[in-house]
Amino acid sequence: MIKHLLKLAFTALLFTHTTSVAEVYDAEEMIRFTDKANKIEQWQRGTTKRFDTFEQFFLNAGGHAYTLAGYLFDIKNNHWLSYEEAIKVAPDLNGLLSQQQLNINITTEELLAFTNIQVPANTHYIYLYFDKPVNAKKKTYMFAAHYSSDPEVKKLLIKSYERRKRFALTLQKHATIPWYLIEIPLIGFKPQ
């Protein structure tokens, strides 16, 4: 009897685990950002409209463009927070923010126009997550066509999905810091 109950408990545990993994690693969620994902993550969205302007924008300002990276920007002082400064503002972002410093000179107006976002009045900080570049026609992430055939691509897409979701769920606790998912279309992308 005890063996039978243990067997049932183990089966239920295994089924629950497999179901949650199947839901988390839904192929559609891995290859593009969906409305279903946004209902959970609650991102406000922006876009750079083109990949080449995304790169050029940061190069012109004296820095480099990074994707799958998140940063806090102080809109009152026109300042990208360093990793250390950002975790002083929001300690629970430790380990989530990009450690690459954006030492670029930019005004808040330029940044808002570039990312096509609007921020609420009296906002001090905003969080920007530069998502994986997206094929504008197919609305899929860069390299997503290789999701089912290349285990490395699948691993990268799953890792980026999990990271983006952790960012969103953590930022939901910060009522005073609006967070934005910045989509970067592959329009103007030139492979090296």
Side-chain angles (χ1 to χ4, degrees), residues 9 22 36 39 59 61 63 73 75 87 93 96 114 121 124 131 143 155 163 166 175 184:
K36 176 183 166 188
K39 284 180 183 155
L59 289 172
F73 184 76
I75 65 173
I87 59 174
L93 294 178
L96 291 177
F114 170 67
H124 190 157
D131 203 12
F143 306 122
K155 189 186 328 182
R163 182 180 168 101
R166 276 195 324 268
I184 307 158

Side-chain angles (χ1 to χ4, degrees), residues 30-130:
M30 297 304 107
I31 63 173
R32 67 177 162 193
F33 186 67
T34 64
D35 289 336
K36 176 183 166 188
N38 205 30
K39 284 180 183 155
I40 296 165
E41 297 176 34
Q42 301 174 6
W43 290 97
Q44 295 180 67
R45 294 169 74 178
T47 181
T48 62
K49 296 196 176 176
R50 294 178 58 93
F51 185 85
D52 52 356
T53 55
F54 168 68
E55 283 187 313
Q56 201 57 49
F57 178 80
F58 286 99
L59 289 172
N60 288 346
H64 295 282
Y66 298 100
T67 60
L68 300 177
Y71 301 94
L72 274 178
F73 184 76
D74 180 337
I75 65 173
K76 293 189 179 197
N77 298 306
N78 299 321
H79 171 69
W80 294 98
L81 275 65
S82 70
Y83 184 82
E84 292 75 22
E85 292 170 324
I87 59 174
K88 284 180 185 171
V89 171
D92 54 350
L93 294 178
N94 189 13
L96 291 177
L97 294 165
S98 178
Q99 294 195 19
Q100 291 113 351
Q101 177 64 36
L102 287 179
N103 292 322
I104 61 172
N105 295 319
I106 185 173
T107 66
T108 298
E109 292 76 24
E110 290 171 320
L111 179 64
L112 298 180
F114 170 67
T115 55
N116 294 286
I117 61 173
Q118 295 180 347
V119 297
N122 300 319
T123 299
H124 190 157
Y125 301 106
I126 58 172
Y127 176 82
L128 298 175
Y129 180 76
F130 294 99

Side-chain angles (χ1 to χ4, degrees), residues 167-183:
F167 276 124
L169 296 177
T170 301
L171 284 159
Q172 287 175 13
K173 301 172 193 167
H174 296 276
T176 60
I177 303 175
W179 66 99
Y180 300 86
L181 178 92
I182 307 301
E183 185 178 88

Side-chain angles (χ1 to χ4, degrees), residues 5-30:
L5 288 175
L6 285 173
K7 193 175 185 180
L8 284 173
F10 179 76
T11 305
L13 181 63
L14 183 63
F15 177 77
T16 304
H17 176 72
T18 358
T19 304
S20 65
V21 168
E23 289 170 0
V24 170
Y25 298 130
D26 178 12
E28 186 180 32
E29 297 294 324
M30 297 304 107

